[in-house]
Amino acid sequence: MSEARRIPFNNPGWAGNTGEFQLTEAQVRGDEYVGKRPPEGGHPSGTSTYPYMLAEKDPEAPLFEGAYQERFEKIRSRYPDARSALLPSLGMAQELRGHLSPETMEQVAQLLGLSPAYVRGVATFYTMYNKRPVGRFLIQVCTNISCSLCGGDDVLQAFLNNTGTEMGETSEDGNFTVMEAECLAGCGFPTTVQINSRYYENVMPKDVPEILERLKAQGE
Amino acid sequence: MAYPYTHEKEVRILSKHFGEPEARTVEGWKARGGYQTLSMAFEMGRNAIIDEVKASGLRGRGGAGFPAGVKWSFMPQDGGRPHYLLCNADESEPGTFKDRELLRWAPHQVIEGMIIAAYAIRAEQAYVYCRGEFFETTQILARAIEEAYEAGYLGKDILGSGVNVDITVHCGGGAYICGEETALMNSLEGRRGTPRIKPPFPAQAGYMGMPSTVNNVETLSSIPFIIQEGADAYRANGTAESPGTKLFCVSGHVRRPGNYELPLGFPLMELIDDVCGGMKEGRTLKGVIPGGSSVPILNAEECANCEMSFEGVIAAGSQLGCAAVIVMDDSTDIVKEVRRMVGFYAHESCGQCTPCREGSAWAEKILRRIEEGRGTEEDLDTLMEVTSQMEGTTICVLSDSVAAPVQSSINKFREEYLSRIRTGEKAGVA
Amino acid sequence: MMTDQQSPQTVTMRIDGREVTVPTGTTILRAAESVGIEIPHYCYHPGLSSPAMCRLCLVEVEGWPKPAPACKTTVAEGQVVHIESEMAQAQRTGVLEFYLLNHPLDCPICDQSGECQLQDYVFAQGREHGRGREPKRVLGRDDFGGDVLFNGDRCVMCTRCVRFMREVAEDERLCVVERGNRAVIDTFFDEGLEGSPFAGNIVDICPVGALVSKDFLHKARAWDLDRTPSVCPSCSQGCNITLQTRDDLVQRLKPRENMDVNGWWMCDFGRHNYEWINRVDRVEEPLVNGETQGWPEALGSLLGRLKEAKGEVKAVTWAHSTNEEMGLLKAMMEELGGSEVVYRSPRTVGELQLPGFPLLARREDLAPNVRGAEILGFTRVGDEEAEGGLDDLATHKGVLIVVGDPLEDQNENFGAQAELFIYLGSYLSKVAGNAHYVLPTTTFAEQEGSYTNVQGRVQRFWPGIRSPGSARPGWLILGALFAEFTETEAPIGADQAFVQVAKGVPEFGEITYRDMGTRGAPARKSAGVAGD
């Protein structure tokens, strides 16, 4: 197997560790197929499928301007009413700002003609919306049944140890926030870890330092 | 071999092209025989499609196993109001990881199935409610949908047939309960994802109060084959009551976990021992959760003759659910794992119904106490009674999902609980 | 599926062995209610949508695999429902145990105690001992702004308050934050409920002590309160209310259901405008030229003075006077050959409508009986603040009769030149000091009477507290004078007074107190009265 095809640390984003793959990581993740998607959202059918967490965040980013405004309008056009566009709009606000502050919720409420309290009720129902700032990399380790059977708790502990953080707290350098996650639907490839929007699968405690180094060096 | 999980006993219909990056593209999919069923379907007409799907006996793959064709036939026949097709891709049941694979390896298969389904139920707008965490998956799906639009398979007047279908990918926000069809509709409407009381059923008043049908990704993926090859060919696999093939998501303590497409009715032990390569070195089987964490645990004896069909698993004392087979060997600490599962339900309970909101959190606290060696024997009775008060008393069945692992594990692994309570030791855990 | 056959209009079914016939589409809960059976419930409220989430109203329906929520399940022909069967009771006991898991059981310091549905239901059907051994969740208190204080630990998550703000007030300031066991009711961070004119209703509909009134906080125990049906005097809407009193002091006002007027609701302006009823600086005995006198002497000499009086008779009243008072004042004026009666009433700009119950609005006229005065043909004078407009009365030299209005805006010379100045009122204002006769009257809270609201609905109220000294209802005083004057029989009850008044007033026509009952009766429309 050539070096280019070597999939690092137990094949992130890939199903299994049997050593039988002939695909690159980009092929597995679909990066080649998807290509670079335009910031204004491309075809309206898929405008809400952008990453919900990015390493680079700007808590002051306007809601929404330029390409993002265009994306917002495309999203809005795909639903029969404004309320239905709330989840994708919150997702986009978080993509830009990194978390949903009270001000962000209020602005999204205004954009969609909803009450701020209503938006707060919805935003807090869903776990993917960060209600407070997180590090550049939000690391969510699955410890649910299948991963738990295969050592998910140890992987979680390894991330906590290697980042020197407590659960849910952000490391001093602002890089990492580690959280426990519920089942990420990667049960056959334990332990499944979600870092920002990307999945890392078959993660073992020994892989953790390498993953963290790669994140610091290359991003997700 | 591109896809690492294959076995000669597999019957690969849905998963035929897993691991082939080219199959994701519209050209690659067409080269593999894709999109041929659209014109066939439009020619057949709505009633014939529904009849064919009914005849195939295809049962919903989301867990409940309700016949898909029958579900479609509930949709009103008269026009006037918009109809919606909702594809449930909010895969979150612990143990399940098939929809993500279907979406990222065969997105056009889902799209093709959705176009036919939307046509059959008179829906011009369809949504794929994708689990929000599935970033890569939804990107692939979005690209595939875009290609399908470019190729004229989506949008207005598909292939000159006069049929209009639009698909929109909608990302959830991270809530297990949104996989429940009425919660999914609330969530799609931009509300808190709380299940709705039925009736009215989605076919009467669903998304935006309009007639809607919610189908699982795997169900919709099965449609092109049924249209292409016919109901009889579909029925060639599986049992009379559970026709067809099914993606079995095997996780836990087996050598080769993964997705395996097998005919329904496949023996559980053969799945574990042969297809999945058996237990890990020196380990023996303790129990299996055959259908995702919300179904009762089977102990090793019950597994012995269990056939993996809807009726077969019921006969063995559990449910097929979404065929997420979680295998546990003798190193498993049942008390801890049950506590973890119940903790999941407590975390994911939407909180509207009192028995679920209060009961799931209570059960978790009791289990944690037992796990930490501070339990009493009365706690087991309390757990049994508390969970029985949670069965059948709520709007959706999440509450019942707490009862299943708790009651089955106390009944079948009582000694493990008792030793933890009496001595704090993990007896029975190798 | 419904066929195209005509569905029958009524359904006959059985609830706990009793045959019940109700209209098609009625829920089990309402069907039971119609025969006097209460099915315990929290989330259901007749004025709100039913989410069927409290799971307390689950009942056994024969032939059904699972218990059914009575608030949402409609009755079917021949259906057999059990509310007190073993299964249904066990169900309720089980759900109640869940409710108590995190409940602080702080009934001794909880304002809701005594009228708490959790207390009542647990007392009736709860377990004797809870089995919860785990530490309780502690949320503490949160000031929601306005008059509302939230005690999260007592909350049963029925979401009535959230639904009221969304569906009825249409001012969605409340939400459920988080989910599952961590769910809690909250406002948008610090936004609170401040400025929401109907927020007080959420305290009423909260079945437990989670939402309490700051104004009423620790003021009285529910069981010490006396409750009297009444009518809110704060605007011309005339919301039906209950005066809740203790030791002859009004402690709080609560809305009383009347689907023709206010539903189950009232505005906060009316709700909190009650302190004046408890004013203690009252006139307690008749004063004649500043000297205390008994009623017989005072009325006797007044009658003589009236008969002797030569000058023109003028009268002023206010829109807080009752129909009976006003009607008898009018009769008296006619008897004395007086000119028209004027009245004053404060007025604000714009109505505050309750969007989810459009019949109800805080009206522009901030007094209860403007319509009554209009029907009786009184002339409105004065400005928005109910001030001024009395210049010719202030210096009137003939007979001057003031009923009710304390005339706080007038200077101390008002009525000083009058030949005879009679003042019927509750408070000894500075103007009253000029009166030859000060006759103490009771407030609406101390007497029986009626108001005509903005819809033209005549509504009764009852005495809830005792009047101080020997204050008497205005109608009794005017009625007695009129009877002496005309040598007829004086009314000895408000009902008789109303009959006497109604005789000459086509709008009141044949309406009697019996017709009005506790819910009022519509006056007949007349062309002369400003439209609704």
Side-chain angles (χ1 to χ4, degrees):
Chain A
M1 194 186 288
S2 73
E3 191 55 27
R5 287 183 177 273
R6 193 186 84 88
I7 294 177
F9 21 85
N10 274 311
N11 326 310
W14 179 234
N17 56 357
T18 58
E20 296 171 68
F21 341 93
Q22 294 155 25
L23 299 173
T24 62
E25 182 183 352
Q27 281 176 321
V28 173
R29 291 192 186 277
D31 295 346
E32 286 180 358
Y33 174 54
V34 172
K36 190 160 167 50
R37 300 190 60 204
E40 86 282 357
H43 194 276
S45 58
T47 33
S48 73
T49 60
Y50 279 70
Y52 83 103
M53 276 302 301
L54 288 174
E56 306 316 322
K57 318 168 188 3
D58 175 12
E60 305 295 317
L63 299 182
F64 297 104
E65 266 181 14
Y68 288 94
Q69 174 66 19
E70 207 176 309
R71 233 163 95 186
F72 173 72
E73 277 157 19
K74 279 185 195 170
I75 289 173
R76 182 64 196 80
S77 75
R78 299 298 281 196
Y79 299 98
D81 71 342
R83 189 192 301 270
S84 294
L86 177 55
L87 264 63
S89 304
L90 289 172
M92 198 157 82
Q94 175 159 305
E95 173 189 332
L96 283 166
R97 294 184 168 180
H99 77 288
L100 301 180
S101 64
E103 296 72 34
T104 306
M105 291 184 204
E106 202 168 356
Q107 284 172 17
V108 172
Q110 206 164 19
L111 284 172
L112 296 170
L114 301 166
S115 92
Y118 175 83
V119 171
R120 185 185 179 202
V122 173
T124 53
F125 185 88
Y126 299 97
T127 49
M128 278 169 56
Y129 302 121
N130 302 321
K131 266 64 77 179
R132 54 191 185 128
V134 294
R136 291 180 64 224
F137 301 104
L138 176 63
I139 300 170
Q140 303 190 72
V141 184
C142 173
T143 58
N144 209 309
I145 176 81
S146 298
C147 290
S148 160
L149 287 170
C150 301
D153 290 335
D154 300 334
V155 176
L156 175 64
Q157 197 53 51
F159 272 108
L160 290 172
N161 293 345
N162 281 281
T163 57
T165 59
E166 299 281 321
M167 191 101 77
E169 301 300 327
T170 301
S171 62
E172 271 176 31
D173 57 8
N175 271 331
F176 304 112
T177 305
V178 182
M179 300 205 292
E180 189 174 18
E182 293 301 352
C183 182
L184 291 167
C187 317
F189 331 118
T191 292
T192 305
V193 180
Q194 183 174 25
I195 301 180
N196 285 355
S197 295
R198 298 272 184 182
Y199 272 30
Y200 290 69
E201 286 156 76
N202 289 314
V203 177
M204 314 278 251
K206 67 177 169 54
D207 303 324
V208 171
E210 199 188 337
I211 292 177
L212 295 177
E213 280 313 310
R214 184 171 105 144
L215 288 174
K216 276 196 253 184
Q218 306 170 23
E220 297 112 75
Chain B
M1 191 193 310
Y3 193 67
Y5 296 112
T6 54
H7 191 272
E8 73 266 10
K9 285 183 180 163
E10 275 191 280
V11 180
R12 295 182 61 172
I13 295 171
L14 306 177
S15 62
K16 194 170 178 185
H17 304 296
F18 279 14
E20 299 170 27
E22 308 77 38
R24 287 173 180 152
T25 66
V26 74
E27 288 307 320
W29 189 247
K30 272 159 74 181
R32 287 162 178 77
Y35 284 118
Q36 288 175 8
T37 57
L38 295 189
S39 41
M40 292 170 69
F42 298 154
E43 237 162 77
M44 285 167 77
R46 299 190 164 95
N47 292 340
I49 296 172
I50 294 177
D51 288 344
E52 196 67 27
V53 175
K54 273 189 193 167
S56 76
L58 171 64
R59 294 175 68 166
R61 300 302 197 221
F66 192 82
V70 177
K71 198 177 200 177
W72 291 1
S73 68
F74 292 153
M75 290 292 276
Q77 303 292 307
D78 52 327
R81 296 195 294 164
H83 290 193
Y84 294 104
L85 171 70
L86 312 176
C87 171
N88 187 346
D90 189 49
E91 178 169 55
S92 325
E93 176 77 14
T96 319
F97 50 103
K98 63 188 176 64
D99 297 341
R100 179 166 159 245
E101 298 291 282
L102 284 164
L103 287 167
R104 67 176 178 163
W105 291 115
H108 287 289
Q109 183 170 248
V110 185
I111 297 166
E112 196 174 338
M114 283 184 75
I115 297 167
I116 298 167
Y119 168 67
I121 63 163
R122 295 176 161 77
E124 296 202 338
Q125 179 60 257
Y127 294 95
V128 188
Y129 188 101
C130 272
R131 192 174 166 169
E133 286 88 345
F134 286 175
F135 161 65
E136 283 159 8
T137 311
T138 52
Q139 292 246 316
I140 292 168
L141 177 65
R143 177 74 194 113
I145 290 173
E146 196 173 50
E147 281 188 323
Y149 268 102
E150 285 160 11
Y153 297 131
L154 282 173
K156 298 266 174 276
D157 192 19
I158 297 167
L159 304 174
S161 62
V163 176
N164 307 325
V165 176
D166 278 307
I167 298 183
T168 303
V169 185
H170 181 96
C171 295
Y176 164 77
I177 191 61
C178 292
E180 198 277 344
E181 61 177 6
T182 56
L184 183 150
M185 296 185 304
N186 268 345
S187 180
L188 191 61
E189 285 177 17
R191 301 173 191 279
R192 293 167 60 83
T194 50
R196 300 175 184 172
I197 191 157
K198 293 189 265 194
F201 291 93
Q204 303 160 320
Y207 175 57
M208 301 301 294
M210 300 299 164
S212 309
T213 292
V214 185
N215 283 136
N216 177 258
V217 172
E218 193 183 353
T219 314
L220 290 167
S221 295
S222 308
I223 302 299
F225 179 86
I226 294 170
I227 298 299
Q228 180 100 39
E229 308 291 334
D232 291 340
Y234 188 76
R235 279 191 174 274
N237 290 301
T239 68
E241 282 177 66
S242 309
T245 58
K246 174 90 191 70
L247 285 171
F248 288 94
C249 311
V250 187
S251 64
H253 298 140
V254 288
R255 283 174 206 251
R256 288 168 52 91
N259 271 304
Y260 297 96
E261 187 170 2
L262 295 160
L264 281 162
F266 197 83
L268 174 58
M269 288 318 294
E270 199 177 333
L271 174 65
I272 294 171
D273 289 337
D274 187 1
V275 177
C276 297
M279 309 305 291
K280 288 183 178 158
E281 188 66 39
R283 292 285 171 205
T284 54
L285 182 67
K286 182 182 259 182
V288 170
I289 306 173
S293 66
S294 46
V295 305
I297 303 171
L298 297 177
N299 61 26
E301 287 151 52
E302 290 167 319
C303 292
N305 294 311
C306 177
E307 285 188 353
M308 295 300 284
S309 60
F310 288 101
E311 66 281 10
V313 183
I314 288 174
S318 185
Q319 285 153 32
L320 183 67
C322 43
V325 181
I326 303 166
V327 181
M328 297 180 283
D329 70 18
D330 54 354
S331 69
T332 306
D333 177 357
I334 288 286
V335 179
K336 182 207 158 195
E337 301 307 339
V338 170
R339 188 269 301 158
R340 185 63 190 81
M341 284 189 275
V342 171
F344 165 74
Y345 290 110
H347 182 258
E348 298 297 336
S349 165
C350 82
Q352 57 175 348
C353 299
T354 309
C356 178
R357 178 183 67 240
E358 302 294 338
S360 57
W362 189 16
E364 187 202 2
K365 284 180 186 168
I366 298 176
L367 283 162
R368 193 177 282 279
R369 202 152 40 73
I370 296 174
E371 186 190 352
E372 289 167 358
R374 296 182 292 116
T376 64
E377 287 180 38
E378 293 81 65
D379 282 336
L380 296 184
D381 300 334
T382 307
L383 273 174
M384 291 298 276
E385 217 176 297
V386 168
T387 52
S388 79
Q389 287 167 10
M390 296 170 67
E391 282 177 301
T393 58
T394 50
I395 291 175
C396 78
V397 292
L398 188 139
S399 184
D400 303 62
S401 301
V402 176
V406 171
Q407 297 185 357
S408 61
S409 66
I410 293 178
N411 285 333
K412 295 168 192 177
F413 302 96
R414 196 179 180 87
E415 284 311 311
E416 276 196 41
Y417 281 96
L418 287 176
S419 91
R420 194 64 77 85
I421 287 165
R422 288 172 184 155
T423 65
E425 301 293 317
K426 296 182 191 176
V429 181
Chain C
M1 284 283 157
M2 201 64 92
T3 60
D4 54 0
Q5 285 172 327
Q6 198 79 43
S7 64
Q9 298 296 296
T10 60
V11 165
T12 301
M13 39 94 70
R14 294 185 82 79
I15 298 177
D16 275 352
R18 289 168 70 172
E19 195 169 275
V20 184
T21 301
V22 286
T24 308
T26 307
T27 60
I28 294 176
L29 191 138
R30 299 282 278 210
E33 221 171 60
S34 74
V35 290
I37 301 173
E38 192 207 338
I39 301 179
H41 59 269
Y42 291 131
C43 68
Y44 167 80
H45 184 282
L48 304 170
S49 64
S50 310
M53 57 193 258
C54 73
R55 311 314 282 178
L56 196 56
C57 74
L58 293 178
V59 294
E60 182 181 353
V61 181
E62 277 187 18
W64 288 28
K66 288 179 177 184
C71 68
K72 199 79 179 173
T73 311
T74 48
V75 293
E77 188 62 38
Q79 196 175 49
V80 181
V81 171
H82 299 284
I83 296 164
E84 297 301 336
S85 67
E86 207 173 304
M87 183 264 227
Q89 286 203 29
Q91 197 63 64
R92 230 168 290 140
T93 306
V95 175
L96 286 168
E97 183 181 22
F98 288 131
Y99 276 115
L100 288 187
L101 271 180
N102 283 300
H103 189 87
L105 296 172
D106 58 345
C107 309
I109 56 153
C110 177
D111 276 342
Q112 192 79 6
S113 193
E115 51 185 11
C116 171
Q117 282 170 298
L118 185 58
Q119 212 175 33
D120 292 350
Y121 295 154
V122 169
F123 183 74
Q125 289 188 317
R127 289 174 63 91
E128 256 177 59
H129 300 285
R131 289 175 294 185
R133 288 182 49 196
E134 324 306 325
K136 295 194 181 204
R137 182 188 55 196
V138 177
L139 294 166
R141 307 204 306 191
D142 190 5
D143 187 344
F144 273 1
D147 183 47
V148 183
L149 185 67
F150 176 60
N151 292 275
D153 303 318
R154 298 176 188 157
C155 180
V156 291
M157 287 304 294
C158 70
T159 71
R160 279 186 190 181
C161 52
V162 178
R163 282 175 287 132
F164 173 83
M165 292 304 289
R166 177 189 304 153
E167 298 166 8
V168 185
E170 293 184 16
D171 179 11
E172 197 157 359
R173 302 238 211 138
L174 287 177
C175 60
V176 179
V177 172
E178 281 285 345
R179 69 180 186 220
N181 186 247
R182 305 169 304 286
V184 59
I185 307 289
D186 205 349
T187 65
F188 185 68
F189 301 97
D190 295 332
E191 183 188 48
L193 295 167
E194 196 76 55
S196 174
F198 294 98
N201 291 296
I202 66 175
V203 173
D204 303 336
I205 58 176
C206 181
V208 294
L211 294 168
V212 294
S213 158
K214 284 189 259 180
D215 177 68
F216 184 70
L217 196 65
H218 306 322
K219 247 161 90 172
R221 305 310 318 234
W223 53 85
D224 286 333
L225 293 170
D226 293 314
R227 292 166 172 80
T228 309
S230 190
V231 173
C232 176
S234 293
C235 84
S236 57
Q237 174 73 29
C239 285
N240 289 208
I241 58 167
T242 305
L243 290 178
Q244 304 210 350
T245 56
R246 195 192 64 186
D247 302 338
D248 286 328
L249 291 172
V250 177
Q251 304 292 333
R252 62 178 177 186
L253 306 183
K254 287 275 187 188
R256 176 163 61 85
E257 182 196 334
N258 187 337
M259 294 314 290
D260 294 317
V261 183
N262 57 307
W264 302 265
W265 324 116
M266 72 186 293
C267 76
D268 286 5
F269 171 76
R271 183 187 297 271
H272 295 128
N273 184 26
Y274 67 86
E275 283 294 342
W276 64 271
I277 307 169
N278 295 337
R279 269 174 75 169
V280 292
D281 57 332
R282 295 281 295 274
V283 196
E284 298 192 2
E285 302 298 334
L287 299 172
V288 178
N289 297 321
E291 299 291 323
T292 303
Q293 260 189 17
W295 280 104
E297 298 77 26
L299 287 188
S301 67
L302 173 58
L303 202 61
R305 293 277 305 265
L306 271 174
K307 281 179 175 164
E308 287 160 17
K310 302 278 185 300
E312 193 195 352
V313 186
K314 288 191 173 184
V316 57
T317 184
W318 62 347
H320 277 278
S321 294
T322 65
N323 291 325
E324 295 74 14
E325 244 171 347
M326 287 184 179
L328 287 161
L329 173 63
K330 182 181 176 178
M332 193 73 196
M333 287 294 283
E334 282 165 0
E335 193 59 35
L336 295 169
S339 59
E340 62 180 1
V341 180
V342 299
Y343 73 100
R344 305 191 300 176
S345 178
R347 201 179 159 82
T348 180
V349 179
E351 298 188 335
L352 286 174
Q353 199 177 43
L354 180 58
F357 193 85
L359 276 182
L360 168 59
R362 204 285 304 277
R363 303 290 175 175
E364 292 189 322
D365 285 318
L366 302 180
N369 208 19
V370 172
R371 180 55 62 93
E374 286 170 353
I375 286 175
L376 290 164
F378 292 2
T379 306
R380 189 162 179 162
V381 296
D383 63 12
E384 317 283 82
E385 306 288 324
E387 290 181 356
L390 301 178
D391 295 348
D392 55 335
L393 274 84
T395 55
H396 182 53
K397 297 197 168 58
V399 178
L400 188 56
I401 304 176
V402 177
V403 176
D405 194 337
L407 305 170
E408 304 281 10
D409 61 307
Q410 299 296 313
N411 69 36
E412 66 273 8
N413 296 323
F414 182 96
Q417 301 171 39
E419 173 193 0
L420 175 59
F421 180 1
I422 309 162
Y423 174 88
L424 277 76
S426 300
Y427 312 104
L428 193 62
S429 60
K430 58 181 183 294
V431 167
N434 295 333
H436 304 103
Y437 287 84
V438 175
L439 304 176
T441 56
T442 52
T443 65
F444 85 103
E446 297 155 358
Q447 62 171 313
E448 213 178 336
S450 69
Y451 289 140
T452 310
N453 82 349
V454 67
Q455 305 159 303
R457 194 177 182 84
V458 193
Q459 307 192 100
R460 288 172 69 183
F461 48 82
W462 281 260
I465 48 181
R466 280 176 299 183
S467 50
S470 60
R472 294 284 181 269
W475 59 261
L476 187 63
I477 303 166
L478 291 164
L481 280 173
F482 182 78
E484 289 296 330
F485 223 84
T486 54
E487 294 178 359
T488 54
E489 200 117 329
I492 52 162
D495 53 339
Q496 289 178 11
F498 186 81
V499 168
Q500 190 176 333
V501 168
K503 256 177 210 155
V505 184
E507 288 87 346
F508 293 152
E510 305 285 299
I511 303 174
T512 64
Y513 265 29
R514 179 181 289 232
D515 301 331
M516 292 179 219
T518 53
R519 284 158 194 271
R524 219 180 295 153
K525 291 255 193 296
S526 76
V529 176
D532 289 59

